[in-house]
Amino acid sequence: MEIRNIAIIAHVDHGKTTLLDGILRQTGAVTAKEDGERIMDHNDLEKEKGITIKAKNTSVSYKGTRINVVDTPGHADFGGEVERVLATADSCLLLVDAFDGPMPQTRFVLGKSLQLGHKPILVINKVDRDGSRPSAVVDMTFDLFHDLGATDEQLDFPIIYASAKQGWAVQKLEDAPGTDLNPLLDLVLEHVPPVQAKVDSPLQFQVTSLDYNDYVGRIAVGKIYGGKLSRGMNVIQLAAKKEVKDEATIYKVTKLYNFEGLKRNEIEIAEAGDIVAIAGLPEVFIGDTICEPGKAAPMPAIEVEEPTVSMFFMVNNSPFAGKEGKFVTTRNIRERLDRELETNVAMRLEETEDKDRFKILGRGELHLSVLIETMRREGFELQVSRPEVIFKKGENGEKLEPYEYLVMDLPDQFTGSIIAELNRRKGELQLMDAHSTGMTRVEFEIPTRGIIGFRGFFISETKGEGVMSSRFLRFDTYKGEIAGRKNGALISMDSGETTAYALWKIQERGELLIGPGTSVYPGMIIGIHSRENDLEVNPVREKKLTNVRSSGADEAIRLIPPRRFSLEQNIEFLDDDELLEVTPQSLRLRKKLLDPNMRKRAGR
């Protein structure tokens, strides 16, 4: 059977996973029981956030050809996932929204694809959307190809128009709406080169992702670049970036799988060009090459771009430490972080002088917050610090910091306040384009420091109607200090359970983050002060009762509902002298120094 290997790449929310759902249905690769929305997004976080976090493999059969498909994330923070799997594909489907046009992550993923020599197929998705402008988007995408240095062959890309949600594609816009996705699959067979199998060469299998099964242990997923792989054969493992040793340990391939729809099928043999999964190597890692004994042929290590943001992960030392978590010790946290680094190629860990504190480097706030949320759900308890950007030294010793290209679509009436805030955060306006729909596109170059904590302001300022995304641009000259959070915090001065009476008095001073009946401790943040300074308050005070009764003496206690922060909002809110306590049940903001006298001393 002929094999084609393709990846689906796009900016977040442009419809990659929905299109793959349609392809799986069209080819009968999923049963009625497996069907649903975003079928390939398996884990709970992906379903809740509506985004793809991990790259995934599947395959479909169409007209006697097996098409291996890789679904990739579209969010910039998970760009490492795209980089590690893109080399397994021989071409890609580049999805672009017919309304939005090319966005920051479109440039990133397309650039990586063109570097690998792919000849992408352009899929203009959501042509059924109100306000769509497919012809203009095709021109914008052509300009993007040109800007990224595409060759003449790559510039001659085929175009197809689709509605992934409705499950149809057409080669000519005037034929819309279509009836099915067969025109897209026909285009794949026509333009994606069939795998040129190097069956006679020595075995070369490179690992691009890892999985785990309680019965067979660690499972390595990757592409066979040369030779044949069969169940029961002896192999050696060549670690990425390490020299080859003659006395390499010999392992036996205990299981060999290929992909079909949502299933893994056990097979006996696979040949060069196929994407498969193997078991039997207990210590295999991403980037390793699997070869035959005596025929070592290591492949180049998988390179990904450097992290730009760091956070400290610490053992919880608050007064409530150990009450809610299952895994709370330094050893527990260290083992979990080491396990994450095995599969998360864009993440790094740096040792610190304090053994209870780990510096984790990632691509952005979301990249790190997904790890924190996953650990929390697994029963871990820890504390995290405010995200900080990673600085570098230039050739002349000058201080360099990461810059991002920020693109926003927002209603016209909010552009003034958003631009003013970004100017305060050292951003430079690059483009402002008003659409006839009442939306304006605003593009900024801004230090990564300026984006940290901006998303919450953007969502509230635009009443949830704005959309923003950014991509890493470059390391450039340090822009100077950026003013931090405008508002101070309301800090508990006592421990106990909060009372409605105390909170009723406190809410005049700012916005509450907790309600009555919540356990608090001294130094815990319970609200946002209406002024710039921090204010200590007593949220556990009870009303003094007397024997005197009189009608009308008691005022009715009316509490404004507290503002509940998500994990990402808590991380955005953090200031330099604050931490976030994360447990399976609670998220608590607190000061690093719980003692008020020590805080005053440190402030001086």
Side-chain angles (χ1 to χ4, degrees), residues 139-285:
D139 294 341
M140 291 157 71
T141 310
F142 183 87
D143 292 343
L144 178 60
F145 270 77
H146 188 266
D147 290 349
L148 291 169
T151 63
D152 290 344
E153 278 186 302
Q154 288 171 328
L155 281 169
D156 188 22
F157 50 82
I159 305 166
I160 195 157
Y161 304 91
S163 169
K165 195 171 183 181
Q166 294 182 7
W168 56 261
V170 291
Q171 293 205 11
K172 294 179 181 174
L173 200 52
E174 54 266 28
D175 295 338
T179 53
D180 54 34
L181 288 168
N182 283 346
L184 174 62
L185 293 168
D186 290 334
L187 208 60
V188 168
L189 297 188
E190 185 183 339
H191 286 276
V192 177
V195 167
Q196 302 298 317
K198 301 176 186 174
V199 181
D200 300 328
S201 60
L203 172 66
Q204 270 188 317
F205 170 85
Q206 188 166 37
V207 182
T208 54
S209 58
L210 297 174
D211 200 355
Y212 187 82
N213 182 297
D214 289 337
Y215 299 102
V216 299
R218 191 174 289 194
I219 296 171
V221 181
K223 182 179 177 180
I224 306 172
Y225 287 88
K228 293 181 181 179
L229 193 55
S230 60
R231 189 165 71 85
M233 79 181 287
N234 291 333
V235 294
I236 57 169
Q237 171 189 338
L238 308 179
K241 298 184 180 177
K242 288 186 182 175
E243 57 184 86
V244 180
K245 293 182 180 177
D246 294 332
E247 65 276 12
T249 308
I250 295 177
Y251 298 98
K252 181 172 279 190
V253 177
T254 55
K255 299 280 182 183
L256 177 63
Y257 306 93
N258 68 5
F259 298 89
E260 186 183 350
L262 303 185
K263 300 186 291 287
R264 278 197 196 123
N265 295 327
E266 228 178 294
I267 55 173
E268 290 298 318
I269 192 165
E271 296 184 347
D274 211 348
I275 296 172
V276 295
I278 62 171
L281 288 84
E283 295 296 319
V284 69
F285 296 102

Side-chain angles (χ1 to χ4, degrees), residues 17 49 52 90 104 108 119 132 178 201 246 363 376 558 586:
T17 307
K49 292 181 180 292
T52 302
D90 300 315
F108 173 81
K119 295 169 190 170
S132 69
S201 60
D246 294 332
R363 286 280 184 90
R376 179 190 178 202
R558 289 192 179 90
S586 312

Side-chain angles (χ1 to χ4, degrees), residues 501 538 540-548 554:
Y501 175 74
N538 185 355
V540 301
R541 186 171 54 136
E542 294 183 355
K543 186 178 181 185
K544 296 288 183 287
L545 301 176
T546 68
N547 290 330
V548 180
D554 281 348

Side-chain angles (χ1 to χ4, degrees), residues 299-325:
M299 296 197 64
I302 295 171
E303 298 290 343
V304 298
E305 289 188 3
E306 291 296 309
T308 55
V309 176
S310 69
M311 279 174 92
F312 286 103
F313 284 42
M314 292 158 271
V315 172
N316 189 12
N317 62 1
S318 85
F320 293 168
K323 289 185 176 180
E324 297 173 358

Side-chain angles (χ1 to χ4, degrees), residues 359-518:
K359 188 177 183 181
I360 300 293
L361 286 63
R363 286 280 184 90
E365 288 172 86
L366 185 62
H367 191 203
L368 295 166
S369 70
V370 164
L371 170 60
I372 296 165
E373 181 62 34
T374 307
M375 289 176 68
R376 179 190 178 202
R377 293 182 183 202
E378 291 170 1
F380 284 84
E381 187 175 302
L382 67 156
Q383 292 179 143
V384 296
S385 69
R386 181 176 191 252
E388 297 171 357
V389 301
I390 297 163
F391 295 105
K392 284 186 175 181
K393 272 193 175 179
E395 292 177 3
N396 303 319
E398 73 274 26
K399 190 177 182 180
L400 304 179
E401 66 173 326
Y403 279 67
E404 307 222 358
Y405 199 79
L406 175 65
V407 177
M408 297 161 289
D409 288 309
L410 61 155
D412 297 343
Q413 65 265 35
F414 304 123
T415 51
S417 58
I418 293 296
I419 289 172
E421 177 65 16
L422 288 169
N423 287 337
R424 186 183 77 81
R425 292 167 175 262
K426 309 285 187 186
E428 289 182 10
L429 181 65
Q430 302 295 312
L431 177 74
M432 188 169 163
D433 181 20
H435 298 312
S436 57
T437 55
M439 300 288 280
T440 300
R441 173 162 289 188
V442 183
E443 300 183 7
F444 265 82
E445 262 189 33
I446 185 169
T448 302
R449 285 181 302 140
I451 294 183
I452 292 174
F454 173 69
R455 189 176 294 275
F457 172 85
F458 178 80
I459 290 169
S460 61
E461 190 67 20
T462 61
K463 310 286 191 291
E465 294 180 51
V467 178
M468 64 171 272
S469 58
S470 63
R471 67 176 173 88
F472 171 70
L473 200 57
R474 63 181 181 275
F475 274 86
D476 211 330
T477 314
Y478 179 67
K479 271 260 182 153
E481 287 297 317
I482 295 176
R485 195 173 69 214
K486 291 179 181 177
N487 296 77
L490 297 172
I491 306 164
S492 172
M493 63 167 65
D494 210 341
S495 59
E497 282 199 359
T498 55
T499 64
Y501 175 74
L503 295 178
W504 177 54
K505 296 288 186 185
I506 293 168
Q507 69 184 4
E508 298 169 6
R509 303 299 191 99
E511 191 175 7
L512 293 174
L513 298 177
I514 59 169
T518 306

